[in-house]
Amino acid sequence: INSSICSAGKYLKININKFMYLINTSDTGFKCSLMNRIKSMFYHAYNSYLDNAFPYDELRPLTCDGQDTWGSFSLTLIDALDTLLVLGNRTEFERVASLLQDTVDFDIDVNASVFETNIRVVGGLLSAHLLAGRAGMELESGWPCSGPLLRMAEDAARKLLPAFQTPTGMPYGTVNLLHGVSPTETPVTCTAGVGTFILEFATLSRLTGDATFENVARRALRALWKTRSDIGLVGNHIDIVSKKWVAQDAGIGAGVDSYFEYLVKGAIMLQDEELLNMFLEYDRAIQNYTRFDDWYLWVHMHKGTVSMPVFQSLEAFWPGLQSLLGNLDSAVRTFQNYYSVWRQFGGLPEFYSIPQGYTVDKREGYPLRPELIESAMYLFRATGDHTYLQLGLDALESIERIAKTPCGYASVKDLRDHQLDNRMESFFLAETIKYLYLLFDPTHFLHGGGTEGDGSWEEGGEGGQCVLGAGGFIFNTEAHPLDPAALYCCSRHTQDRRELRDILINLSQHDRQSKQPTKETEGPAPESIALKPGEKKTPPLLSCPVQPFSARLSILGQVFSDNT
């Protein structure tokens, strides 16, 4: 519900995702009140970080100071940047974007997580770059194919490339941003640490024209794909040099989760059938061996026997992912199981024993993770069921009552007695608050909402020939939205230039050859493009986002989409 609806008359009838809702003023006021509470939550945490922790990576909310965790590059500020724009704060977005350009340096002697730096730093900078036009920032000519935030993202990603220089192409887990991979670095990496790069790296490649990033991400994915067991499962940790599985527990939770997420989202964003087929084959094995009564357990990757009958809070992303594929019945039932755990504790413990119906020893904490709220957002958009809004309200109340401190929001150390831990992870501002806000704002521009004339779409590319921001955003695993239209726009211009160059070269060569006498040869007849009797045209597996028709080269290479 956006601000125009918040100030509307007695009754409003709005079309949200093909569902019609009749909202009276009391309902509208209630939802506006919730959204304002979510904004207040964000600014309490955000201002506490700026006042007490910047330029450190994270806020320590119990002692009101800061600490470096995943690197040393003001991580919370990078992670929270696009959330500022989601909440409508263009002024602060522009201020912080300029501040980061002046203060963040990736040429530092720091050992950084390859996985975390990619999803939080590279993903956060890419998202902010793609949203810069909507924020009203001054844009370089040719944006989104160029820009200072894009160059920062590329700089950060280049610091990660040495990790991929392995015999298998699967990356090490840690890299020194200044010196590369340490000779003593362990070759053991979690599955997600191998397979969670295609969204950010393909975005970089297609925006910049440098295929290196997408190539290394694909090589890692294909290498990991070849290591699956005979029953089609992958384990939790793998030796990236020997390709031997060190931890052989198979599931959808910690250490694996975002690998499956990126196969699906990468397939949608890149219109890539290879990635989709990989996931669908995994999904068949997951449903056969790990699913029990709409819970997903951990099993031995080779035998399929149950190894850990637990639910992990990170698994709560799964119903949302299933909804993207249209598997709503299964997604709804699994979500209800996870929601029952939330209602039991006022949050999701890191581990929950399904047979015992209680927390697991030393895994009772809740670091304010977003995954169940994320699934609620997707399922509400898919079904219109207000159950998911109730989860949002429950989450808002729980976090406010349990985790709020005078200096931000603290991770919950133990959900049984609500002890707090002295840490506020950057994903609280990047994901938890963002998904909570978007759950209650179904007409937000990230959902493809907006009306004619309100700036719900933008132009971009060379000469403003591309339509951007018209919906279909893909969220990376840190909730940083990426616009597939921008990827297509920049890669299309690059391809146009290459094809035009090749055509001119070929015409030049043909012209020279035509001046020399040649013996005529009769080539094969061209293959007919007409369908044979009874033959049906098969539609593509993926239909979103739609790639626009381009007139270039449409008649013997004589018609172009530009003025060349």
Side-chain angles (χ1 to χ4, degrees), residues 373-447:
I373 303 169
E374 173 188 0
S375 284
M377 182 197 76
Y378 282 113
L379 286 170
F380 177 60
R381 286 182 53 74
T383 67
D385 187 339
H386 287 201
T387 298
Y388 307 107
L389 298 182
Q390 182 62 52
L391 176 276
L393 179 58
D394 289 349
L396 178 59
E397 295 285 353
S398 292
I399 293 171
E400 284 278 88
R401 293 185 181 186
I402 298 173
K404 188 173 184 178
T405 74
C407 191
Y409 292 84
S411 297
V412 182
K413 186 175 182 179
D414 193 329
L415 278 169
R416 298 171 301 177
D417 58 11
H418 297 167
Q419 290 183 56
L420 298 180
D421 202 2
N422 194 19
R423 187 175 185 186
M424 187 181 80
E425 289 235 34
S426 67
F427 60 65
F428 177 65
L429 295 179
E431 298 186 78
T432 306
I433 288 180
K434 184 184 295 164
Y435 282 132
L436 194 57
Y437 187 83
L438 291 173
L439 171 62
F440 288 104
D441 189 3
T443 62
H444 197 278
F445 74 85
L446 286 176
H447 295 320

Side-chain angles (χ1 to χ4, degrees), residues 344 477 483:
Q344 185 177 352
T477 197
D483 187 358

Side-chain angles (χ1 to χ4, degrees), residues 525-546:
E527 184 178 349
S528 172
I529 63 171
L531 296 176
K532 298 180 177 63
E535 185 180 4
K536 292 184 178 180
K537 183 177 180 181
T538 55
L541 289 176
L542 299 165
S543 59
C544 175
V546 175

Side-chain angles (χ1 to χ4, degrees), residues 80-249:
L81 182 53
D82 57 18
T83 307
L84 286 166
L85 190 63
V86 169
L87 300 182
N89 193 337
R90 297 184 177 186
T91 303
E92 182 67 0
F93 176 92
E94 187 169 0
R95 185 190 76 83
V96 172
S98 299
L99 177 65
L100 291 173
Q101 294 171 47
D102 295 335
T103 59
V104 174
D105 182 8
F106 298 114
D107 287 319
I108 50 177
D109 186 6
V110 167
N111 293 324
S113 164
V114 180
F115 169 84
E116 298 290 353
T117 304
N118 176 58
I119 65 171
R120 303 194 196 205
V121 177
V122 179
L125 291 171
L126 284 173
S127 176
H129 163 72
L130 293 173
L131 295 175
R134 189 174 295 274
M137 292 182 63
E138 185 176 348
L139 303 174
E140 290 185 3
S141 175
W143 176 89
C145 312
S146 65
L149 294 175
L150 176 60
R151 288 189 288 275
M152 283 186 69
E154 183 179 5
D155 186 23
R158 287 201 185 278
K159 297 295 184 181
L160 307 181
L161 288 180
F164 291 82
Q165 296 172 5
T166 65
T168 62
M170 293 187 284
Y172 285 99
T174 304
V175 66
N176 184 284
L177 298 181
L178 193 61
H179 304 296
V181 178
S182 168
T184 60
E185 177 65 26
T186 175
V188 177
T189 306
C190 69
T191 306
V194 174
T196 309
F197 295 92
I198 191 64
L199 289 183
E200 298 83 3
F201 276 29
T203 297
L204 262 179
S205 285
R206 301 196 183 196
L207 293 181
T208 64
D210 185 346
T212 302
F213 302 103
E214 183 170 349
N215 288 343
V216 299
R218 286 188 180 276
R219 186 183 177 214
L221 282 175
R222 288 165 180 159
L224 186 58
W225 170 251
K226 293 177 181 177
T227 65
R228 66 195 187 282
S229 69
D230 292 339
I231 60 175
L233 296 172
V234 288
N236 199 277
H237 281 74
I238 190 171
D239 186 313
I240 53 98
V241 175
S242 67
K243 297 187 287 188
K244 293 183 179 179
W245 286 99
V246 176
Q248 299 185 2
D249 295 310

Side-chain angles (χ1 to χ4, degrees), residues 472-495:
F473 287 88
I474 303 295
F475 292 90
N476 86 335
T477 197
E478 191 76 2
H480 295 306
L482 303 172
D483 187 358
L487 277 63
Y488 178 74
C489 173
C490 296
S491 60
R492 190 186 76 184
H493 284 316
T494 300
Q495 184 180 358

